[in-house]
Amino acid sequence: MTSHEPQQITEHVVRDLDDLQALADRVVELVQASPRAQAANVEANVLVGRTRHALTRFANSFIHQHVGEDTVSVGLTVAVDGRTATAGTTDTREEALRTLIEATLESAALQPVDPHWPGATPPADVAASGNFDPDTADARPEQRAERVKAFVDVAADLRAAGYLDTEATWAAFASTAGQRAVGRATRATVDGIHQTDTSAGSAHQTSHRLADLDAAAAGTVAADRARRSAEFVDLDPGVYEVVLGPEAVSTMLTFLGVYGFNAKMHLEGASFAKLGEAQFDPAITILEDPADPRAIALPFDNEGSPRRSFPLVEAGVVRNLAHDRRTAKRAGAETTGSAVPGGSEFGAVPTTIKLVPGTTAPDDLVADVERGLLVTQFHYCRVLDPKTLVVTGLTRNGTFLVENGKLAGAVGNLRFTQSFVQALGAGQVVAIGDDDRYADGEFGAGVVIAPSLRLRAWNFTGGAKG
């Protein structure tokens, strides 16, 4: 070929799971055929994903942004004689893949031996395929706009803001040790607020089906909270009985999962979790449950291992941690399929956390409170002590004083400083609601399924300014 002849470019077309698996397999073939693999022990894990994300944002009751993207990505982790490196690309041309592989192998060869590398993922059956709704994957912008309009129109006298998005994910995995897996999932979320001149109220819904979202109902909840909060009083700090809405409970569960049930944190002595000990109220059972029919999760994790359902806390007793293959090797355990991107640094995290609901209707949780607070949402939470999981944060978008079983009026946002473990400790859980659903816990939608919760005590330490 002369320099004037056009170079033939092979681009891998990715449309469905078969294409994704073929691309993952091709990357493994290229790794095994590389010159470095002929002179060293080379292993590889390959995760290929296609994500179609569509987003509609609104503010001041008008849509101001429609965006969408459909992206294919290739993630590659290699080990060269036990020295590891990870890299990725969105360029699926053959030459780009060869370049990615050579650069990643070269990088790995320069690293020290990784003592926690568990080897490429071995074959393991992935029985599930994921909750996937074709109509959600193919949702059009006007379908999102219709629902935004429904959210806005229920309170024309207020100002609405938020987003409604849909996401479809297809993924395939292949490794030099022989693991192969495919899966797919969809998600749809509406999250927004209605505002008066002095207050705001929020609402959130997430499902794997766009058709499940009732945007008008969400808008009604947000508007009601905003109107009830338009006039508020400041409350003195102190310890109050609380009823927490699903969003506030979701924040607690997210922090428990990330900082407590993360096996890497546990191995390094930074977790509160003590396996086999009754650290929570007997009413508390927390599951990692990707098998829940509402779950929004691929059936395998970032290492290609099948996701497992298992109890994190059972009747108050800490039973298990979330493991990836790295932490499982260190602990002499088995992976739970909880590997996440960046997990070699951060650890393994449960991503379908569920607090088992109770039998009490949300209104009845409030009806039995003599004096306390109803908190719908926490905000800007930060860990002060990971070992005890003392967290400080704020309330927002709906905080109400409860007296004699009724809402007595809104209160200004409060700062709290509270150990989440202590708040859920023995004798502290008065009742659990029957209203469990996907709730947003600060780290994003589609991670936690939580009900409302009535707790005996919560430590509020100041107003929003400190």
Side-chain angles (χ1 to χ4, degrees):
M1 183 176 71
T2 71
S3 59
H4 299 291
E5 292 176 330
Q7 184 177 3
Q8 184 175 359
I9 298 175
T10 300
E11 181 167 5
H12 296 275
V13 177
V14 178
R15 294 158 298 197
D16 54 27
L17 292 177
D18 289 340
D19 293 337
L20 286 163
Q21 185 69 77
L23 179 54
D25 291 342
R26 178 57 179 161
V27 175
V28 168
E29 290 174 3
L30 292 173
V31 169
Q32 292 172 322
S34 67
R36 195 176 293 272
Q38 311 312 309
N41 179 28
V42 171
E43 303 170 275
N45 285 340
V46 180
L47 179 62
V48 179
R50 177 187 176 190
T51 301
R52 180 187 296 165
H53 183 234
L55 169 69
T56 298
R57 290 185 183 276
F58 56 104
N60 294 319
S61 301
F62 288 93
I63 291 173
H64 64 89
Q65 186 180 44
H66 268 312
V67 294
E69 61 178 352
D70 196 331
T71 306
V72 176
S73 61
V74 178
L76 172 64
T77 295
V78 299
V80 179
D81 291 333
R83 306 168 194 272
T84 60
T86 297
T89 183
T90 56
D91 190 340
T92 61
R93 292 175 298 179
E94 185 83 356
E95 285 306 306
L97 297 177
R98 293 178 186 275
T99 299
L100 169 72
I101 291 165
E102 291 309 314
T104 310
L105 290 171
E106 183 177 346
S107 177
L110 298 174
Q111 305 301 315
V113 172
D114 183 345
H116 304 310
W117 169 246
T121 302
D125 184 43
V126 178
S129 59
N131 285 327
F132 185 88
D133 177 49
D135 291 338
T136 300
D138 296 332
R140 302 183 306 278
E142 54 265 38
Q143 291 177 281
R144 302 195 305 275
E146 289 170 0
R147 287 166 173 80
V148 169
K149 184 176 187 301
F151 185 98
V152 171
D153 283 355
V154 296
D157 56 319
L158 303 183
R159 299 186 304 279
Y163 72 91
L164 194 151
D165 73 340
T166 58
E167 185 173 80
T169 302
W170 300 261
F173 182 91
S175 77
T176 53
Q179 172 66 335
R180 300 173 81 243
V182 295
R184 58 183 186 169
T186 50
R187 177 187 59 78
T189 294
V190 59
D191 188 293
I193 61 172
H194 273 289
Q195 293 175 289
T196 72
D197 289 339
T198 58
S199 63
S202 65
H204 176 96
Q205 293 182 11
T206 286
S207 173
H208 72 277
R209 290 188 294 256
L210 176 62
D212 289 345
L213 302 187
D214 187 340
T220 300
V221 169
D224 178 63
R225 289 172 176 171
R227 290 190 175 106
R228 287 175 180 267
S229 304
E231 294 184 4
F232 60 88
V233 298
D234 289 326
L235 200 66
D236 290 334
V239 176
Y240 292 85
E241 184 172 346
V242 291
V243 174
L244 304 179
E247 264 63 46
V249 177
S250 176
T251 295
M252 296 179 70
L253 294 175
T254 300
F255 277 70
L256 289 170
V258 171
Y259 296 100
F261 301 128
N262 177 334
K264 185 170 186 288
M265 294 281 190
H266 188 264
L267 286 164
E268 295 173 351
S271 165
F272 68 83
K274 299 176 181 177
L275 291 170
E277 292 195 14
Q279 293 184 274
F280 295 92
D281 189 278
I284 295 294
T285 292
I286 303 172
L287 308 176
E288 164 67 351
D289 195 7
D292 187 286
R294 298 164 292 182
I296 298 168
L298 290 170
F300 57 88
D301 68 4
N302 205 59
E303 295 177 328
S305 300
R307 294 189 190 278
R308 287 172 43 200
S309 294
F310 58 93
L312 295 159
V313 176
E314 195 172 46
V317 179
V318 177
R319 292 298 188 193
N320 293 288
L321 304 170
H323 280 286
D324 56 21
R325 296 186 63 249
R326 283 178 168 272
T327 60
K329 176 187 175 185
R330 294 171 64 184
E334 294 184 1
T335 178
T336 57
S338 303
V340 296
S344 61
E345 300 295 327
F346 190 77
V349 176
T351 54
T352 309
I353 310 172
K354 184 171 77 175
L355 174 60
V356 174
T359 57
T360 306
D363 288 346
D364 291 339
L365 293 178
V366 172
D368 290 334
V369 176
E370 182 175 343
R371 191 170 193 271
L373 289 169
L374 168 63
V375 178
T376 61
Q377 191 175 12
F378 291 139
H379 169 60
Y380 205 62
C381 296
R382 296 294 182 269
V383 174
L384 300 180
D385 178 14
K387 191 69 176 175
T388 56
L389 206 55
V390 173
V391 177
T392 188
L394 300 168
T395 66
R396 74 166 181 177
N397 294 335
T399 305
F400 303 95
L401 180 65
V402 180
E403 290 183 329
N404 300 318
K406 296 181 179 179
L407 298 187
V411 299
N413 289 328
L414 292 162
R415 173 167 291 282
F416 68 86
T417 303
Q418 174 67 57
S419 164
F420 286 176
V421 179
Q422 184 183 53
L424 298 173
Q428 297 302 304
V429 178
V430 182
I432 302 177
D434 62 359
D435 56 339
D436 62 319
R437 60 171 172 78
Y438 263 115
D440 189 354
E442 280 207 62
F443 283 34
V447 177
V448 176
I449 299 173
S452 299
L453 192 58
R454 181 182 168 195
L455 299 178
R456 197 169 303 282
W458 194 269
N459 188 34
F460 293 97
T461 49
K465 294 182 179 179

